[in-house]
Amino acid sequence: MGMAAGIHNSVTPTLNPNQKGFSVSSPFMRTQVSVNRTLSSYSFPIIKSRRNPLPNFIKCSVSQAEITEIATEKKSTLVRRNDIRNIAIVAHVDHGKTTLVDAMLRQAKVFRDNQVVEERIMDSNDLERERGITILSKNTSITYKDTKMNIIDTPGHSDFGGEVERVLNMVEGVLLVVDSVEGPMPQTRFVLKKALEFGHAVVVVVNKIDRPSARPEYVINSTFELFIELNASDEQCDFQAVYAVGLSGKAGLSPDNLADDLGPLFETIIRCIPGPKIKKDGSLQMLVTSTEYDEHKGKIAIGRLHAGVLNRGMDVRICTSDDACRFGKVSELFVFEKFYRAPAESVEAGDICAVCGIGDIQIGETIADKNDGKALPAIRVEEPTVKMAFSINTSPFVGREGKYVTSRNLRDRLYREIERNLAMKVEDGETADTFLVSGRGTLHITILIENMRRENYEFMVGPPKVINKKIDDKLLEPYEIATVEVPEEHMGSVVELLGKRRGQMFDMQGLGSEGTTLLKYKIPIRGLLGLRNAILTASRGTAILNTIFDSYGPWAGEMSTRDLGSLVAFEDGTSTSYALASSQERGQLFIKPGVEVYKGQIVGIHQRPGDLALNVCKKKAATNVRSNKEVSVVLDTPLDYSLDDCIEYIQEDELVEVTPKSIRMCKNPKINKKVR
């Protein structure tokens, strides 16, 4: 984008990996900037120009590089299709990816004029709509000026980074959506790093440009700094920026001059993102990057065709990375048209398609030519950092609400999950009815628990534990970068809280004119367990916490994530108002009168360290020797903990009981801990 640092296209950064530094100069700049490269990172100041500080329409150098590339490709078998663009939309959570896709679909006339369309149409999963987040990546396509655009909407949470990593195999370019106030955030860094490693072209979309405190020049400069830090190539650093308001469907090449539609964005995609490079006459090769299941069609494999032509009814070879092969037949073939899958007789290389008929297909396998098929490189995703133990439900209430309660049911469901969820791992535990599930974070595993609960499974889960490593007899633990947006009046209590959890602050800056401070910490993942609720309490619900995996580092030492103990039910029975009235003096309760409880169930939070056993089922003596009248009991409103809250709350000797209708916490009967 002509340096993309908020200056005219006469400014072009020159980067040479053999040089120690690079320089930027322009007739519009007051000074010439020289920056030294040390330790594979750059420090780049914010540059302001005398004239217009933001760029006009420029030629995209990425597309210029493609012209020379196409010329050399004529000598080889590789050709580039210009009638297709495969793009992924990536961003930090809540920066507006799905809303932008909605606007693109509407303006491409995917829906009828009189059709009622819900907001965030791509978030079709019930759980996604309830939580307001994207969990699974999804495909759609639009047609603009005879060019088909296959669009993949991706999750923004770092816990679902595996979804982003695998879909980047299908595309040639990405739209990096950045909020016009917040700028690049932790997940922005992660998704951009992965896109640059694949060598993809990047178009930066500065979204929500209509916000009162929008600061587009700062956002562009910060994004350019991020490109430099991630060792992007010269062509990738020369990105095009588009300014947009996804909610109202407007875009432009200048923040002060937006068109009435997304035309500038579509034109930029066609100009700056190259078409797929294919072997048109080569042997069939298609890498499976996603799978779905349909009740009528069975397992559906989704991926991009890298070479050859795939026909309906064709006999194929399924190859794995370890050269093991088997044979299959394509019963049905689909391409993505608008918002639906459309049947197709054949698909040419470069397009994204869905294949039916191969029941045992797995993500990462290659659908290849029957005679001389070869496997494509397998999909690699980063290792999980957190694990939780799943076991069968052993409470007295087992089988009351759920349909699937045995260890065989639990085992089959968990191993079925890892077929589709590449970033998750499942292994057998110490006993036959225990399984260890590893994921990118607690949210990653919590989504699985919630889905299983809705599928009528009953089970118990233990507290999240960090996956440590031992290298050269040194114990290493995973660290994450935590960014906290907090109002200045609550900053002191948040800083104190993070300090107790071994967090190390490395950056602090003000955010716009909203009186908010942005804190950046490097903190062990152990310190993040249970942190979200604690930060909300400390900041009176105003803080926003975001995290992203950084690296493994030295063991940070012992730390306490919970100071208070639990209130534990003394016996089986039904809770009464009479018993709860005296119990609430001991702490905060989770239950109300008339609730069935069992011995060992956690019914509240103790106001002091250590657990306390209570009789919450005690009834008032029914004698007739009462001279005083009945006294009305006033009970406090019980705490309503969600599944996420319960998993954050429990400690080593506690479990969460998950059933289709209830979520309870209890003490682990296998761990005997003294209860007062």
Side-chain angles (χ1 to χ4, degrees):
M1 192 201 67
M3 188 180 116
I7 49 179
H8 276 72
N9 59 345
S10 57
V11 183
T12 306
T14 57
L15 288 173
N16 187 337
N18 299 320
Q19 293 178 350
K20 291 185 177 179
F22 68 90
S23 64
V24 181
S25 61
S26 164
F28 303 119
M29 290 170 144
R30 292 174 184 167
T31 57
Q32 181 170 355
V33 183
S34 180
V35 184
N36 287 325
R37 186 184 201 174
T38 56
L39 298 176
S40 302
S41 66
Y42 294 93
S43 173
F44 201 87
I46 295 176
I47 302 165
K48 294 184 179 179
S49 63
R50 284 178 178 166
R51 296 189 183 181
N52 181 11
L54 293 157
N56 295 321
F57 177 83
I58 61 166
K59 280 192 173 183
C60 184
S61 67
V62 175
S63 57
Q64 292 297 310
E66 299 304 333
I67 293 172
T68 57
E69 201 173 305
I70 291 171
T72 59
E73 282 170 6
K74 289 181 180 177
K75 300 175 184 177
S76 67
T77 57
L78 293 177
V79 294
R80 201 173 281 285
R81 286 187 67 174
N82 288 319
D83 59 334
I84 285 181
R85 297 291 186 274
N86 298 319
I87 58 173
I89 300 188
V90 298
H92 186 77
V93 62
D94 285 339
H95 280 199
K97 298 179 300 299
T98 308
T99 307
L100 184 64
V101 174
D102 280 2
M104 294 172 77
L105 290 170
R106 283 192 181 93
Q107 295 189 19
K109 300 298 182 185
V110 170
F111 310 110
R112 300 188 314 271
D113 292 338
N114 63 343
Q115 186 172 346
V116 177
V117 182
E118 296 179 356
E119 286 187 3
R120 295 185 293 108
I121 186 69
M122 294 295 284
D123 286 347
S124 52
N125 187 309
D126 288 341
L127 205 51
E128 290 178 321
R129 291 201 164 276
E130 287 173 23
R131 290 175 177 253
I133 60 173
T134 303
I135 296 171
L136 302 172
S137 57
K138 300 174 195 66
N139 300 59
T140 187
S141 79
I142 60 174
T143 303
Y144 180 78
K145 292 186 177 178
D146 299 325
T147 300
K148 180 182 179 182
M149 296 183 188
N150 287 310
I151 300 170
I152 305 174
D153 184 25
T154 63
H157 278 84
S158 57
D159 286 32
F160 310 117
E163 290 283 313
V164 180
E165 288 176 85
R166 64 181 175 82
V167 300
L168 288 176
N169 285 276
M170 288 198 284
V171 300
E172 284 75 39
V174 298
L175 295 188
L176 181 69
V177 182
V178 186
D179 188 278
S180 65
V181 176
E182 295 179 353
M185 295 293 281
Q187 183 69 358
T188 312
R189 184 187 186 92
F190 173 79
V191 293
L192 179 60
K193 178 185 174 185
K194 293 299 175 186
L196 295 177
E197 285 175 359
F198 277 93
H200 292 333
V202 181
V203 172
V204 175
V205 180
V206 182
N207 197 22
K208 306 182 185 179
I209 200 69
D210 58 337
R211 289 181 64 175
S213 52
R215 40 182 188 166
E217 188 175 359
Y218 163 79
V219 171
I220 290 294
N221 277 295
S222 300
T223 307
F224 180 71
E225 287 178 30
L226 188 57
F227 272 76
I228 299 298
E229 286 175 22
L230 296 174
N231 297 320
S233 65
D234 290 7
E235 289 80 12
Q236 288 170 328
C237 285
D238 199 10
F239 58 80
Q240 172 72 62
V242 179
Y243 305 89
V245 182
L247 197 60
S248 53
K250 296 180 180 179
L253 299 175
S254 165
D256 304 320
N257 186 20
L258 298 184
D260 294 330
D261 56 16
L262 293 175
L265 177 61
F266 292 137
E267 293 289 347
T268 302
I269 291 171
I270 292 174
R271 182 169 45 84
C272 291
I273 293 179
K277 193 191 296 183
I278 60 168
K279 294 179 185 176
K280 194 169 184 180
D281 301 322
S283 298
L284 171 67
Q285 279 184 315
M286 171 185 160
L287 183 66
V288 178
T289 54
S290 179
T291 59
E292 294 179 6
Y293 187 82
D294 185 274
E295 290 182 359
H296 305 289
K297 298 180 175 63
K299 205 166 190 179
I300 301 173
I302 300 170
R304 197 191 85 184
L305 208 59
H306 287 258
V309 177
L310 184 62
N311 298 311
R312 188 167 71 89
M314 188 177 185
D315 291 321
V316 294
R317 176 185 294 191
I318 297 94
C319 303
T320 60
S321 55
D322 55 357
D323 295 332
C325 295
R326 60 188 188 280
F327 296 94
K329 185 174 183 178
V330 177
S331 61
E332 289 188 77
L333 192 60
F334 298 91
V335 292
F336 292 91
E337 282 189 8
K338 297 183 177 179
F339 196 59
Y340 307 99
R341 285 196 293 258
E345 288 297 318
S346 67
V347 177
E348 293 185 359
D351 206 351
I352 295 173
C353 62
V355 176
C356 302
I358 308 171
D360 57 350
I361 192 76
Q362 302 290 335
I363 293 175
E365 293 183 333
T366 304
I367 297 175
D369 186 79
K370 183 181 178 182
N371 298 321
D372 58 347
K374 294 180 181 178
L376 289 163
I379 300 171
R380 306 246 176 237
V381 296
E382 292 189 4
E383 294 293 310
T385 56
V386 174
K387 62 182 177 182
M388 293 172 67
F390 285 54
S391 62
I392 60 170
N393 190 359
T394 55
S395 83
F397 298 163
V398 60
R400 289 192 182 184
E401 299 172 3
K403 181 180 178 183
Y404 306 107
V405 296
T406 65
S407 60
R408 181 177 59 83
N409 296 142
L410 188 59
R411 179 190 179 88
D412 291 347
R413 176 64 181 84
L414 291 175
Y415 279 95
R416 198 163 67 241
E417 179 68 20
I418 59 174
E419 292 180 6
R420 188 200 58 77
N421 202 330
L422 283 189
M424 191 170 280
K425 291 185 177 179
V426 177
E427 53 189 337
D428 293 340
E430 296 177 356
T431 60
D433 55 6
T434 305
F435 307 94
L436 292 177
V437 179
S438 307
R440 286 283 185 87
T442 51
L443 180 63
H444 189 198
I445 303 176
T446 302
I447 294 297
L448 167 64
I449 295 171
E450 185 63 47
N451 280 325
M452 290 174 63
R453 181 186 171 212
R454 295 178 184 213
E455 294 166 14
N456 280 324
Y457 283 84
E458 252 189 45
F459 53 97
M460 284 182 162
V461 293
K465 296 179 182 177
V466 170
I467 300 174
N468 298 320
K469 287 183 178 179
K470 207 163 189 179
I471 300 176
D472 298 331
D473 292 330
K474 291 182 179 179
L475 185 62
L476 304 179
E477 66 174 329
Y479 281 76
E480 293 207 352
I481 300 297
T483 61
V484 186
E485 295 174 48
V486 60
E488 291 178 1
E489 61 265 28
H490 301 302
M491 191 171 70
S493 54
V494 170
V495 168
E496 181 185 1
L497 183 63
L498 289 163
K500 285 181 180 177
R501 292 170 177 254
R502 308 282 182 177
Q504 297 176 346
M505 185 193 297
F506 63 88
D507 190 17
M508 180 174 69
Q509 54 183 278
L511 270 186
S513 58
E514 298 173 354
T516 303
T517 304
L518 182 69
L519 306 173
K520 292 187 179 181
Y521 276 82
K522 184 174 181 179
I523 184 171
I525 290 184
R526 282 185 302 137
L528 291 171
L529 302 178
L531 180 63
R532 199 171 298 273
N533 273 339
I535 276 192
L536 288 174
T537 303
S539 64
R540 299 189 179 180
T542 56
I544 300 172
L545 171 68
N546 291 296
T547 60
I548 187 76
F549 176 74
D550 181 55
S551 60
Y552 273 81
W555 176 261
E558 295 298 327
M559 70 176 74
S560 174
T561 56
R562 197 180 90 193
D563 299 326
L564 304 178
S566 298
L567 299 177
V568 184
F570 185 75
E571 62 180 4
D572 299 356
T574 304
S575 60
T576 64
S577 303
Y578 178 70
L580 294 181
S582 57
S583 299
Q584 68 184 13
E585 297 173 5
R586 305 290 188 177
Q588 293 176 289
L589 297 175
F590 294 138
I591 61 171
K592 57 186 178 181
V595 174
E596 282 194 86
V597 298
Y598 55 84
K599 184 178 179 180
Q601 181 178 335
I602 296 172
V603 294
I605 304 173
H606 191 200
Q607 60 190 5
R608 293 186 176 89
D611 297 335
L612 180 67
L614 290 173
N615 187 355
V616 292
C617 306
K618 182 170 58 177
K619 295 179 180 178
K620 193 172 183 179
T623 65
N624 58 358
V625 196
R626 288 281 185 274
S627 58
N628 56 334
K629 62 178 182 180
E630 291 290 327
V631 179
S632 59
V633 176
V634 179
L635 295 176
D636 297 334
T637 304
L639 295 173
D640 185 16
Y641 267 23
S642 66
L643 175 62
D644 303 69
D645 297 332
C646 291
I647 287 172
E648 279 195 356
Y649 175 81
I650 59 173
Q651 291 195 316
E652 189 68 31
D653 63 329
E654 296 167 344
L655 298 169
V656 177
E657 179 191 353
V658 181
T659 70
K661 297 178 182 176
S662 309
I663 297 170
R664 306 181 190 93
M665 291 179 283
C666 64
K667 305 302 287 187
N668 189 343
K670 296 178 182 177
I671 301 176
N672 293 320
K673 189 177 178 183
K674 189 176 180 181
V675 179
R676 287 191 290 167

